[in-house]
Amino acid sequence: MFETDEPKMTSFHIPTMAEMTANGNTPEVLFWVGCAGSFDDRAKRITKAIAKILNAAGTSFAVLGQEESCSGDPAKRAGNEFLYQMQAAQNIAILNGYGINRIITGCPHCFNVLKNEYPELGGNYEVQHHTQFIRELIEQGKLRMADGGVFKGKKITFHDPCYLGRGNGEYLAPREVIASLDAELIEMRRCKQNGLCCGAGGAQMFKEAEKGTAEVNHARTEDVLESKAEIVATGCPFCNTMMTDGVKHANKEGEIIVKDVAELIAEAADLL
Amino acid sequence: MMSQLIFLLLLSTGIFFFVRRIRFIQKNIRLGRDVDLSDQKAKRWKTMARVALGQGKMTARPVAGIMHIVIYVGFVIINLEMLEILLDGLLGTHRIFAEPLGPVYDVLIGSFEWLAAGVILSCVVFFIRRNGMAIARLRSRELAGWPSLDANIILVVEVLLMFAFLSMNATDGIAQLRGLPHYVNAGSFPVSQWLMPLYAGFSDTGLVAVERGMWWFHIAGVLAFLVYVPYSKHFHIILAFPNTYFSDLTPAGAMNNMESVTREVKLMMDPSADPYATPAESAEPPAPFGAKDATDLTWKQLMESYSCTECGRCTSECPANQTGKLLSPRKIMMDTRDRIEEIGKARDANGGQWESDGKSLLGHYITEEELWACTSCQACVQACPINISPMGIILDMRRSLIMEDSKSPESITSMFNNIENNGAPWAFPAESRGDWTQDV
């Protein structure tokens, strides 16, 4: 479980909405991948894990592919409402054009914007974060963990993404999903409502931090070390990057692994 | 009769200055932009009941929270005693409730005394925490000077008022034992009995003088405090209620939509719209985007600035502040209030008309460096015991920086360009967005 190689090549096809529509089909859900999940090499592994989970659970899904564009979150949080609304208008036109009703996202920033901010601009969908959807799949018995429990007894802590936790009050779904791993879920000193940010939100991901005495992700890594967790579970590609860097900075790369909840599940269900 | 007149004069002077100050603040808050928060009344009352009346968020920090609740309950309940003092003062009576309430009166006075003792204890602990202990949020640089003095004045005055209340009871109790005229046998003195030895040696005249003196000190002190409160951070005792009533009820992650931008975007995307059309003569000049000055904020945000009691829970939870950045969410609120005060004073000095003084909240009070340190993590919003959102002001100011002044760190500009050109914050070609599907 400590190797970081690419997921195994298993063959299944991920259709785009354009393909599906051309074939006269409608998927159950649209998987909104997000920019990090589409382009960032590390985050792509999370994306693939989510896709494998959906596939294994028999969920009929599609992606937008080239038709997906940035949700506009970093532009809006950085103050560029114009750019945000242009992005939103474009995305909503496409989503509404395909008659999308249900969306799952691999990123809490996209999740928040699509769920809370698109409705005012005419985009009304049932939006779920991937941990919420995975919880449903487990509850419905559509997704089973493999025997042998690769995470049995492992100490896992969940780092709450701000826009899933405080932003939308979802603290339980990722924890319930982790609970299915038969691992030991431990909490950091600051968690849930009081969780410390990874430092990437509000468009910080795209700029240098302001002058200070420490980096936010290093401070958060201190919380991880204090908790004695062996695995930091994340639910956001940005948190994942920040925590991976933080663990590296603390020279704990060999001891603490940072993985998205979806990756842990995909691994436990022997999908990778 | 004379004392009744003096009392009436004192009372009306106190109320006059209080009301004058409230009117000033009200006018200042109304300088903010309009926002409609008249919806969801049931939910609003509930939020106010839970957060302000019920102190629902206070005990997130147990020590300060519990002692705050003691002071709060003490303040609310002991004010019942104020009603009696008012009536006695106006009618020239003494302990007017004693006879009609009978034994209930004894229970009431007894419980007031216990609460007064609790208030004194809490205020002393707060004073020590503030001045003798290294509690970071009570030592931040934005508290230097007046804010720190303000906090200490409040604590000292509360202790003095409670001491006066207990001394008044102690001397009254002795007077009752001595059977002095006017001192009806009433009340129970579970706490002030311990003060009685202090006054036991006084002559009858001396005793009555102290009792009357404490009575007058208490009422005069309360009236002075009434006038002081709206000049102070202590104004939260009133504004916490409307402020929580008008809480933002959307999920904390949701950021408001700018209607003015929506109109522009729709126009841009409408092929039949005439981009060169001149606006109608009657059209009002468009409002600036985002907030540059305090008057660009909504009235709710200005109300929040007057509601802030500078406890600093927001700042101590802020990841930027914790890692040594310049940003302090509390300072954002304090700056906003200072600026709208300045604007209000200039407006009144200018016969009610506000003319720009060339200054603005963004730039003269709050720097760009502070704004860009925010991660929009909402920890400040979560931490605020009365649902203030410093983050909302920060993000509104970023809007002004970007959309009015086109000022952004270089890397942020590149991020904007990337989104505009290839639909992602990084410089990856849009065509490759779906490439990951090829090797699943």
Side-chain angles (χ1 to χ4, degrees), chain B residues 21 24 27-28 31 231 306 337-354:
Chain B
R21 173 68 184 162
F24 176 72
K27 255 165 47 187
N28 293 351
L31 288 172
Y231 286 93
Y306 276 111
R337 182 184 51 208
D338 290 350
R339 175 59 181 159
I340 200 68
E341 276 280 300
E342 183 177 55
I343 290 173
K345 280 178 196 151
R347 174 206 54 209
D348 286 2
N350 191 34
Q353 276 303 310
W354 161 239

Side-chain angles (χ1 to χ4, degrees), chain B residues 66-78:
Chain B
I66 288 166
M67 285 192 300
H68 182 272
I69 291 175
V70 170
I71 298 181
Y72 162 73
V73 173
F75 174 82
V76 172
I77 296 188
I78 296 171

Side-chain angles (χ1 to χ4, degrees), chain A residues 8-12 14 31 33-39 44 47-48 51-52 63 65-66 68-70 74-87 89-90 112 115-117 120-121 162-163 166-168 190 193-194 196-197 199 201-216 219 238, chain B residues 60 251-265 268-269 289 316-320 322-326 368-380 382 391 395 398-400 402-403 409 411-412 415-417 419-420 422-426 428-440:
Chain A
K8 284 176 216 155
M9 295 290 179
T10 46
S11 53
F12 67 92
I14 298 170
F31 174 22
V33 181
C35 299
S38 300
F39 296 114
K44 274 196 260 185
T47 307
K48 289 172 192 175
K52 281 165 196 281
V63 296
Q66 290 182 29
E68 186 184 288
S69 192
C70 174
K76 185 170 174 108
R77 263 79 196 161
N80 197 336
E81 182 81 9
F82 266 107
L83 183 52
Y84 157 72
Q85 290 206 17
M86 293 295 285
Q87 288 298 116
Q90 183 187 331
N112 177 65
K115 178 175 176 285
N116 296 322
E117 292 164 9
E120 272 185 275
L121 298 169
C162 300
Y163 279 88
R166 268 189 297 271
N168 287 286
R190 299 184 268 195
Q193 284 89 339
N194 302 319
L196 179 67
C197 174
Q204 293 292 339
M205 188 70 193
F206 308 99
K207 60 182 271 297
E208 288 299 316
E210 309 304 311
K211 196 160 60 67
T213 51
E215 298 299 331
V216 178
F238 297 136
Chain B
M255 193 172 160
N256 70 323
N257 189 61
M258 289 177 70
E259 271 305 318
S260 53
V261 172
T262 310
R263 279 194 296 275
E264 302 264 341
V265 168
M268 272 196 285
M269 296 178 95
F289 294 119
S316 79
E317 295 292 334
C318 173
Q322 283 175 16
T323 53
K325 275 75 167 182
L326 205 55
E368 290 171 40
E369 185 179 340
E370 290 165 74
L371 300 181
W372 287 116
C374 174
T375 67
S376 77
C377 75
Q378 312 134 50
C380 55
Q382 171 70 34
M391 185 183 85
L395 295 179
R398 282 189 181 178
R399 282 170 163 168
S400 171
I402 298 297
M403 292 192 283
S411 47
I412 291 289
M415 181 262 286
F416 291 155
N417 290 339
I419 293 179
E420 251 174 273
N422 34 289
W426 300 285
F428 291 105
E431 310 83 69
S432 62
R433 186 178 275 269
D435 286 2
W436 64 273
T437 58
Q438 300 311 309
D439 59 15
V440 175

Side-chain angles (χ1 to χ4, degrees), chain B residues 1-14 89-90 215-216 219-220 223:
Chain B
M1 197 61 206
M2 191 61 196
S3 72
Q4 279 163 268
L5 278 177
I6 295 173
F7 184 85
L8 192 65
L9 189 71
L10 208 59
L11 183 67
S12 39
T13 311
L90 290 172
W215 189 92
W216 280 101
I219 183 65
L223 287 173

